[in-house]
C-alpha cells in the first residue's frame, strides 16, 4: 500500500493570511483528499459553492425543522480559509468532506439558553497555559482565560493581546516564502500551549475532536495518500496523534439526535464581526482589503486611499499629500514597534492623526463604512429554497426592492399601484415577523368624513383610502410614506419557519396571523393588529380578528386596556373596513368599550404615582379624540360626565384633574368663569407646589392659546408664580420647563411678549379676528376640503 500522510493546517477562521498560506501549501501538497472543520450534514451541499452565481459572504444554515430555535450558522467570506479550501478541492475535483461533530448531536446537546457559551472555540478563545490563573492575578488588565488564551504567547512576543499577535504573525503576512512552514510553527506553538493545560475547555470540544479523528481514520482506511486537514489551530495537536479508535468511540456513544436540514443563505460582513459572531473578526473590511491586495506592499497606501475616498463622500477634505503622510507615519510606527509591516492599529493611528486631525468622531464613520465594509453575498437562483422563500424573492424582484444589509430609505407614493403593492408587501413581511422595513407613518389625510355604513364595499381598504377621489389633482403630498429598509440574514430562518403556514407570502401571513389571533387575549394587542392586517390587505383575517376582539372586550375589566383598544377601532369605523358588510359588529364593540371605560376609569385614576399618572394621561388624549370622532351624543355626554367627576373626586392625581379640566373647557362644557375658579382652587396657597404644577401641566400640556387669550387665566397663573417661595419655585421649575418646552417656538415667543407687558393687558386682544383676511383663505380651504362645499366651513 502506498505511504500515507496526513497534513494538518491550523488556521484562524476568516483569516486572509491563513487562507493565502493555505492555498500555497495546498498547491505544493496536491492532496487527493481535503477534510475541513464543518458540519458533516452539509457535505452534500458543498458542490454549490463553485456555482458561478455564488458570491460570498454566504453561510450554511443547519436547523431542526421541528424546533426552529435549534439552529446554527457556518459563515464563509471570500477570505475564509475554509472557503478557499472548498474552492481548491471542488475546482480540481478533489474529494472534500466536513469532519466536525454531527450537528444532529450538537443541537440535541445544546440547550437554547446555553448555545452562546457552548460555541466552538477558535484559535483565539482556547484554554490558557499552565499557571495562567496565578499569572492572571498579577496582571491588572489581563483578559479572562476564555476570551484570549493566546495572550500569554502575545505577551512573550511584545503584543498587548492574542488577536494582534495572531494578526501580525499570520494574517498580515504579505510575502510568502515557500521554504517557510507557518503551519508547522502554529502546530508547535499550540501543542506547547495545550500540553501546559491538559484540562479540556468544555465537554463539547473533546467530542468534536474525536469526530475529526474518526474522519481522518476513515480517509486513511479508504486509501487516500495525501490527506489535508483544515481546522482551527487549537484543534491541530488533538489530530496530530491518533489514539485508539475505541477511546474516541466512547466519547460519542449513545449521543442524542434531532432531525436537521441544510440550506445556503446570503450573509453579510456585519454578521462576521466578533461582537456578534463568536469566531468572527474585528474588521471584515480590513481583512477583505488584505485579501484583495495579496502579496502587494501597496496594501497600506491602498487602505488609506480607500478611507480618504470615503471621508470625501462625507464632506471631509483630504488631499493626496495627506494620504502620503499618513502612509509614512504608519510605516514609521510599525518600525518603532519592530513590526514587519504596518497593521490596522498603525494605520488607524496614522489616519486619526493626519486625515482626521486628531478628531475621533470621523473614526466612527470609518469603522462602520470601511473597516466593516458592509456587503451581502448571493446564492444561486437554483439553490434549495422553500416555496415561501421563492415567493418572497420573486416579489422582491418584481417590485424592484433588492435586499441590502445597509439602511436605505424608500419613499412610497400610495397613489401609485407599484408603491401600494410595495407597502402591502412590507406589511405582510412584518406580520410574519420579518421586519425588513420600518415606517415613520404616512401623511395620508382623509377625504371627507368616513364612516359606516360603507357605500362601496369590497376591494382593498388601503387602495380606497390611499387613492381617493381628489377634486383637485394638482394637490400632492397627501399620500406619501417613508420607510427605512435593512435586510438581515436571520430573516431566512424566519422564512423557513413560516413556510409551515403557506407556500406564498399571502397564505403564510394570513394563516400565521390567524393563529396568533387565536392565541392572544390581550385586547390592546388585538386592536393594534387591525392596522397591520388592513395595511397588509388580508381580508380573510378580519372576521377572526373581530371575533377575538369581541370576546376579549366582553371579558376585560381593565379600563386602561379598553382605552388603548378604542382609537384603532374608531379609525377603522371612520374609513370603513375591507369586508362587504356594514361593520355593525365593529361599531357595537367600540361603543361598548367606550361606555365601559367611562364606568371603570374613575377608580383607575385614584392613588397613582407620578409616572403612572403620566402614562394614563397619554392614553386619555387619543381616547378623548376617538369619543369625539364617533359623533354619538350619548357617548360624548357620558364621557364628559365622567371627566366632570374627576374634578372633585378625592385621591385623583392632579395631572389627570388638569387634563380633565382642559378637555371640558376646550369642548365648552365649563365656562371661562368656572375654569378660573378651578384654577384658583388648584393653584391656591393651600396646595402644595408640586400638586399645583402637576395640575397646571395637565391643563397646559399641548395647549397654550387658552391662557394667552383669557386674561383671567393669564393673571391667575401669573399670581400663582409670584406667590411661590424660592424653594417652592426651585422644586416646581423642572416640571414647568418640561411643560413649556412642548410649546412651539411661536407660542413660546408669544408667551415671552406677554410676560414683558407685565400686568397691562395687550392693546389688541388676541381673539380679535380679521374677517377680510379670513375670507381670502376660504377659497383655498375649499379646494383642499375633501370634495366638500360650503357646508364644510
Amino acid at each position: 500500500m502506498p505511504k500515507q500522510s496526513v497534513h494538518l493546517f491550523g488556521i484562524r477562521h476568516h483569516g486572509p493570511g491563513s487562507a493565502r498560506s493555505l492555498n500555497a501549501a495546498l498547491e505544493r501538497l496536491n492532496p487527493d483528499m481535503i477534510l475541513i472543520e464543518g458540519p458533516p450534514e452539509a457535505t452534500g451541499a458543498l458542490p454549490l459553492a463553485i456555482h458561478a452565481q455564488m458570491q460570498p459572504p454566504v453561510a450554511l444554515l443547519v436547523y431542526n425543522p421541528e424546533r426552529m430555535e435549534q439552529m446554527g450558522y457556518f459563515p464563509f467570506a471570500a477570505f475564509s480559509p475554509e472557503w478557499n479550501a472548498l474552492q481548491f478541492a471542488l475546482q480540481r475535483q478533489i474529494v472534500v468532506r466536513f469532519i466536525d461533530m454531527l450537528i444532529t448531536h450538537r443541537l440535541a446537546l445544546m440547550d437554547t439558553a446555553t448555545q452562546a457559551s457552548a460555541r466552538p472555540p477558535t484559535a483565539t478563545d482556547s484554554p490558557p497555559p499552565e499557571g495562567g490563573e496565578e499569572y492572571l492575578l498579577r496582571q491588572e488588565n489581563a483578559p479572562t482565560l476564555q476570551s484570549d488564551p493566546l495572550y500569554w504567547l502575545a505577551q512573550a512576543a511584545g503584543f498587548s493581546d492574542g488577536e494582534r499577535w495572531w494578526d501580525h504573525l499570520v494574517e498580515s503576512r504579505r510575502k510568502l516564502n515557500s521554504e517557510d512552514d507557518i503551519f508547522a510553527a502554529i502546530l508547535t506553538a499550540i501543542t506547547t500551549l495545550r500540553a501546559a493545560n491538559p484540562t479540556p475547555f468544555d465537554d463539547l470540544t473533546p467530542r468534536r475532536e474525536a469526530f475529526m479523528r474518526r474522519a481522518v481514520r476513515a480517509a486513511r482506511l479508504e486509501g487516500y495518500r495525501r490527506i489535508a486537514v483544515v481546522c482551527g489551530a487549537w484543534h491541530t495537536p488533538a489530530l496530530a496523534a491518533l489514539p485508539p479508535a475505541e477511546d474516541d468511540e466512547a466519547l460519542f456513544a449513545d449521543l442524542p439526535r434531532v432531525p436537521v436540514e441544510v440550506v445556503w443563505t446570503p450573509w453579510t460582513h456585519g454578521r462576521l464581526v466578533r461582537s456578534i459572531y463568536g469566531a468572527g473578526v474585528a474588521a471584515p473590511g480590513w481583512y477583505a482589503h488584505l485579501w484583495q491586495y495579496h502579496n502587494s506592499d501597496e496594501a497600506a497606501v491602498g487602505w488609506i486611499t480607500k478611507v480618504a475616498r470615503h471621508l470625501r463622500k462625507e464632506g471631509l477634505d483630504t488631499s493626496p499629500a495627506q494620504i502620503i503622510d499618513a502612509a509614512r507615519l504608519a510605516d514609521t510606527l510599525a518600525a518603532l514597534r519592530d513590526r514587519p509591516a504596518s497593521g490596522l492599529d498603525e494605520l488607524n493611528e496614522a489616519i486619526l492623526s493626519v486625515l482626521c486631525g486628531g478628531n475621533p468622531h470621523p473614526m466612527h464613520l470609518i469603522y462602520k463604512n470601511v473597516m466593516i465594509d458592509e456587503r451581502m453575498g448571493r446564492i444561486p437562483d437554483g439553490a434549495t429554497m422553500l416555496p415561501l422563500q421563492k415567493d418572497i424573492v420573486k416579489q422582491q424582484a418584481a417590485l424592484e426592492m433588492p435586499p441590502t444589509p445597509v439602511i436605505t430609505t424608500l419613499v412610497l407614493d400610495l397613489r401609485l399601484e407599484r408603491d401600494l403593492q410595495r407597502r402591502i408587501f412590507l406589511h405582510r413581511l412584518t406580520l410574519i415577523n420579518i421586519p425588513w422595513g420600518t415606517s415613520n407613518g404616512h401623511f395620508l389625510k382623509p377625504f371627507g368624513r368616513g364612516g359606516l355604513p360603507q357605500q362601496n364595499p369590497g376591494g382593498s381598504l388601503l387602495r380606497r383610502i390611499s387613492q381617493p377621489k381628489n377634486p383637485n389633482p394638482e394637490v400632492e403630498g397627501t399620500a406619501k410614506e417613508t420607510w427605512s429598509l435593512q435586510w438581515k440574514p436571520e430573516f431566512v430562518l424566519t422564512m423557513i419557519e413560516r413556510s409551515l403556514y403557506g407556500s406564498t407570502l399571502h397564505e403564510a401571513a394570513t394563516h400565521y396571523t390567524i393563529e396568533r389571533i387565536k392565541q392572544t387575549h390581550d385586547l390592546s394587542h388585538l386592536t393594534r393588529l387591525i392596522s397591520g392586517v388592513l395595511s397588509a390587505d388580508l381580508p380573510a383575517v378580519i372576521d377572526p380578528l373581530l371575533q377575538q376582539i369581541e370576546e376579549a372586550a366582553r371579558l376585560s375589566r381593565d379600563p386602561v386596556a379598553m382605552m388603548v383598544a378604542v382609537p384603532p377601532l374608531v379609525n377603522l369605523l371612520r374609513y370603513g373596513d375591507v369586508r362587504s358588510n356594514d361593520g355593525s359588529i365593529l361599531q357595537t364593540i367600540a361603543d361598548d368599550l367606550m361606555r365601559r371605560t367611562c364606568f371603570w376609569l374613575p377608580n383607575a385614576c385614584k392613588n397613582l404615582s407620578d409616572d403612572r399618572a403620566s402614562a394614563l394621561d397619554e392614553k386619555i388624549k387619543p381616547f378623548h379624540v376617538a369619543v369625539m370622532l364617533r359623533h354619538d351624543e350619548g357617548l360624548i355626554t357620558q364621557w364628559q360626565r365622567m371627566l366632570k367627576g374627576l374634578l372633585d373626586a378625592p385621591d385623583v392625581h392632579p395631572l389627570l384633574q388638569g387634563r380633565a379640566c382642559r378637555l371640558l373647557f376646550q369642548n365648552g362644557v365649563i365656562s371661562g368663569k368656572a375654569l378660573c375658579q378651578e384654577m384658583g382652587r388648584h393653584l391656591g396657597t393651600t396646595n402644595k407646589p408640586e400638586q399645583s404644577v402637576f395640575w397646571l401641566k395637565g391643563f397646559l400640556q399641548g395647549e397654550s392659546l387658552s391662557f394667552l387669550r383669557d386674561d383671567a387665566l393669564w393673571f391667575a397663573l401669573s399670581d400663582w408664580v409670584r406667590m411661590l417661595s424660592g424653594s417652592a419655585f426651585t422644586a416646581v421649575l423642572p416640571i414647568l420647563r418640561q411643560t413649556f418646552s412642548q410649546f412651539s417656538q411661536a407660542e413660546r415667543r408669544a408667551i415671552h411678549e406677554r410676560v414683558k407687558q407685565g400686568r397691562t393687558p395687550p392693546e389688541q386682544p388676541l381673539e380679535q379676528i380679521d374677517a377680510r383676511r379670513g375670507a381670502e383663505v376660504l377659497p383655498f380651504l375649499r379646494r383642499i376640503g375633501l370634495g366638500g362645499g360650503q357646508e364644510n366651513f
Side-chain angles (χ1 to χ4, degrees):
M1 180 177 179
K3 183 179 180 181
Q4 292 180 318
S5 60
V6 177
H7 301 265
L8 302 176
F9 300 103
I11 50 88
R12 188 218 195 282
H13 302 299
H14 316 302
S18 297
R20 189 171 296 116
S21 298
L22 176 62
N23 284 343
L26 292 177
E27 288 285 356
R28 295 193 297 268
L29 177 61
N30 189 25
D32 54 0
M33 161 73 84
I34 298 181
L35 304 178
I36 302 174
E37 178 186 340
E41 292 91 338
T43 298
L46 297 185
L48 201 62
I50 59 172
H51 194 284
Q53 293 181 338
M54 183 74 83
Q55 298 177 5
V58 293
L60 284 166
L61 169 59
V62 187
Y63 63 95
N64 178 358
E66 298 178 358
R67 292 184 57 190
M68 297 298 292
E69 70 274 11
Q70 293 183 330
M71 42 72 66
Y73 291 107
F74 295 85
F76 302 94
F79 47 81
S80 299
E82 299 93 334
W83 179 259
N84 284 271
L86 282 177
Q87 299 296 312
F88 184 93
L90 295 174
Q91 291 173 1
R92 293 165 175 78
Q93 297 183 347
I94 299 173
V95 179
V96 58
R97 296 172 185 167
F98 277 165
I99 61 170
D100 206 342
M101 183 178 181
L102 290 167
I103 294 298
T104 183
H105 299 315
R106 294 181 64 178
L107 293 181
L109 292 171
M110 292 182 184
D111 184 79
T112 304
T114 60
Q115 286 186 13
S117 61
R119 61 177 173 80
T122 66
T124 58
D125 55 32
S126 311
E130 186 175 338
E133 294 187 12
E134 291 76 8
Y135 181 71
L136 178 63
L137 297 176
R138 301 194 299 269
Q139 299 296 309
E140 181 179 356
N141 297 317
T144 61
L145 307 182
Q146 293 83 2
S147 64
D148 193 3
L150 298 182
Y151 170 79
W152 323 105
L153 296 179
Q155 285 285 297
F159 287 82
S160 60
D161 60 73
E163 182 78 18
R164 290 179 173 84
W165 174 76
W166 183 274
D167 182 80
H168 281 277
L169 178 69
V170 180
E171 309 306 342
S172 296
R173 296 173 76 236
R174 300 192 180 102
K175 293 184 178 180
L176 301 181
N177 190 331
S178 60
E179 297 180 359
D180 294 337
D181 192 347
I182 184 67
F183 296 107
I186 292 173
L187 177 60
T188 300
I190 301 300
T191 300
T192 303
L193 198 57
R194 289 190 60 152
N197 288 266
T199 303
F201 182 65
D202 54 30
D203 294 335
L204 187 62
T205 301
R207 287 172 170 169
R208 295 179 58 213
E209 292 170 347
F211 271 91
M212 296 182 195
R213 289 192 293 266
R214 184 172 72 171
V216 173
R217 293 192 191 95
R220 296 179 66 176
L221 289 175
E222 293 177 35
Y224 292 101
R225 294 177 297 170
R226 299 179 303 279
I227 304 170
V229 181
V230 181
C231 62
W234 185 257
H235 301 300
T236 51
L239 307 183
L242 301 180
E246 295 79 9
D247 296 345
D248 286 341
E249 293 294 336
L251 290 175
F252 44 77
D254 300 324
L255 289 177
R257 288 176 174 267
V258 296
V260 296
E261 295 184 11
V262 182
V263 294
W264 284 101
T265 179
W267 207 245
T268 66
H269 272 182
R271 295 289 162 174
L272 289 174
V273 175
R274 186 170 178 79
S275 60
I276 299 176
Y277 164 50
V281 295
W286 165 246
Y287 274 3
H289 177 79
L290 288 179
W291 181 249
Q292 174 187 356
Y293 272 83
H294 298 284
N295 299 330
S296 173
D297 292 327
E298 302 295 326
V301 176
W303 178 256
I304 297 174
T305 302
K306 182 183 294 186
V307 171
R309 188 178 296 116
H310 176 73
L311 292 177
R312 288 171 185 162
K313 290 181 180 179
E314 297 293 335
L316 302 175
D317 293 333
T318 54
S319 66
Q322 288 178 303
I323 296 174
I324 296 173
D325 290 343
R328 289 175 176 173
L329 177 57
D331 290 339
T332 302
L333 289 173
L336 290 173
R337 296 167 181 172
D338 196 24
R339 309 283 168 80
S342 54
L344 186 58
D345 290 339
E346 290 76 26
L347 290 170
N348 281 341
E349 293 176 28
I351 290 169
L352 173 63
S353 177
V354 179
L355 299 187
C356 302
N359 182 4
H361 295 292
M363 294 300 295
H364 297 292
L365 294 173
I366 294 171
Y367 173 76
K368 178 180 178 181
N369 298 296
V370 185
M371 292 177 64
I372 292 183
D373 188 23
E374 188 63 286
R375 65 182 70 175
M376 177 177 283
R378 179 187 176 189
I379 63 174
D381 297 336
T384 302
M385 288 194 296
L386 297 175
L388 175 60
Q389 292 177 270
K390 294 180 180 179
D391 182 63
I392 292 176
V393 172
K394 180 181 178 181
Q395 292 192 50
Q396 287 174 331
L399 296 174
E400 299 180 0
M401 300 173 66
T404 61
V406 297
I407 298 177
T408 58
T409 300
L410 179 66
V411 179
L412 302 179
D413 186 341
L414 301 184
R415 295 164 297 186
L416 303 177
E417 182 64 25
R418 187 184 67 168
D419 283 0
L420 182 62
Q421 293 302 321
R422 285 174 168 177
R423 185 179 193 267
I424 293 174
F425 178 58
L426 291 170
H427 276 288
R428 287 177 179 176
L429 288 175
T430 302
L431 283 177
I432 64 171
N433 293 341
I434 300 181
W436 180 19
T438 56
S439 172
N440 63 352
H442 62 90
F443 308 102
L444 182 65
K445 299 180 181 179
F447 284 79
R449 178 176 296 171
L452 298 174
Q454 183 176 300
Q455 300 299 322
N456 297 305
S460 168
L461 166 67
L462 181 62
R463 182 174 288 104
R464 293 201 303 275
I465 67 175
S466 62
Q467 296 180 332
K469 296 179 180 179
N470 192 340
N472 183 8
E474 295 179 0
V475 178
E476 298 180 352
T478 60
K480 295 293 182 67
E481 191 170 86
T482 302
W483 288 75
S484 295
L485 307 181
Q486 184 181 28
W487 188 264
K488 298 180 180 180
E490 55 265 33
F491 292 163
V492 175
L493 183 64
T494 307
M495 284 190 279
I496 295 173
E497 186 174 4
R498 299 297 177 265
S499 295
L500 300 174
Y501 295 90
S503 57
T504 66
L505 179 58
H506 181 273
E507 293 178 0
T510 298
H511 297 151
Y512 179 70
T513 306
I514 291 175
E515 182 177 288
R516 287 175 57 195
I517 290 170
K518 292 179 179 179
Q519 297 173 353
T520 303
H521 302 283
D522 187 324
L523 183 60
S524 59
H525 180 70
L526 288 169
T527 52
R528 284 195 298 268
L529 268 177
I530 293 177
S531 176
V533 169
L534 295 177
S535 299
D537 196 10
L538 300 176
V541 182
I542 292 295
D543 283 330
L545 179 56
L546 291 182
Q547 293 172 7
Q548 192 72 358
I549 290 176
E550 184 179 18
E551 178 67 16
R554 185 176 60 84
L555 299 176
S556 178
R557 294 294 184 271
D558 183 0
V560 177
M562 290 186 279
M563 288 181 66
V564 174
V566 165
L569 293 177
V570 172
N571 287 336
L572 183 57
L573 285 169
R574 294 185 70 208
Y575 292 113
D577 66 27
V578 297
R579 302 175 306 151
S580 60
N581 58 37
D582 61 0
S584 58
I585 296 177
L586 187 63
Q587 182 170 309
T588 301
I589 295 173
D591 293 349
D592 181 61
L593 287 175
M594 290 181 187
R595 293 188 180 94
R596 295 171 64 196
T597 299
C598 293
F599 179 79
W600 292 102
L601 188 59
N603 288 332
C605 295
K606 296 180 179 180
N607 302 314
L608 297 179
S609 64
D610 295 342
D611 292 338
R612 293 184 62 186
S614 297
L616 182 57
D617 178 58
E618 291 297 321
K619 296 177 176 64
I620 288 178
K621 292 186 289 185
F623 180 82
H624 173 78
V625 173
V627 172
M628 303 308 293
L629 288 175
R630 279 291 294 119
H631 302 288
D632 186 305
E633 293 299 330
L635 288 172
I636 293 176
T637 300
Q638 187 177 0
W639 170 244
Q640 291 174 346
R641 187 184 302 119
M642 192 281 302
L643 291 175
K644 290 182 68 175
L646 293 181
L647 298 182
D648 300 318
D651 301 324
V652 174
H653 197 280
L655 176 71
L656 303 178
Q657 291 181 323
R659 169 66 62 187
C661 190
R662 175 197 157 182
L663 295 178
L664 292 171
F665 175 71
Q666 181 177 292
N667 288 275
V669 180
I670 61 175
S671 63
K673 182 179 179 180
L675 177 60
C676 290
Q677 293 175 351
E678 284 292 321
M679 179 172 283
R681 184 162 64 91
H682 288 280
L683 301 184
T685 56
T686 58
N687 295 83
K688 295 181 180 180
E690 294 81 2
Q691 293 179 337
S692 298
V693 78
F694 269 112
W695 186 93
L696 188 64
K697 179 181 179 181
F699 180 81
L700 293 180
Q701 194 164 241
E703 174 64 46
S704 66
L705 295 180
S706 57
F707 72 95
L708 278 174
R709 290 194 300 259
D710 194 304
D711 290 342
L713 297 180
W714 175 268
F715 292 131
L717 175 60
S718 176
D719 291 340
W720 174 73
V721 174
R722 290 173 183 272
M723 65 88 178
L724 289 175
S725 64
S727 59
F729 180 77
T730 302
V732 302
L733 182 59
I735 302 178
L736 282 174
R737 294 191 63 178
Q738 179 186 12
T739 302
F740 282 89
S741 66
Q742 297 178 6
F743 296 157
S744 68
Q745 185 175 359
E747 289 174 328
R748 293 199 300 270
R749 187 183 301 113
I751 294 172
H752 177 68
E753 293 298 327
R754 185 83 191 264
V755 171
K756 288 171 60 177
Q757 295 175 7
R759 301 283 299 184
T760 304
E763 297 180 0
Q764 184 176 8
L766 294 177
E767 64 268 18
Q768 181 174 346
I769 298 175
D770 190 332
R772 182 186 59 83
R773 296 181 63 189
E776 294 177 355
V777 179
L778 290 179
F780 174 75
L781 293 178
R782 292 191 183 97
R783 293 178 60 191
I784 64 174
L786 316 182
Q790 187 73 25
E791 68 276 3
N792 285 331
F793 302 99

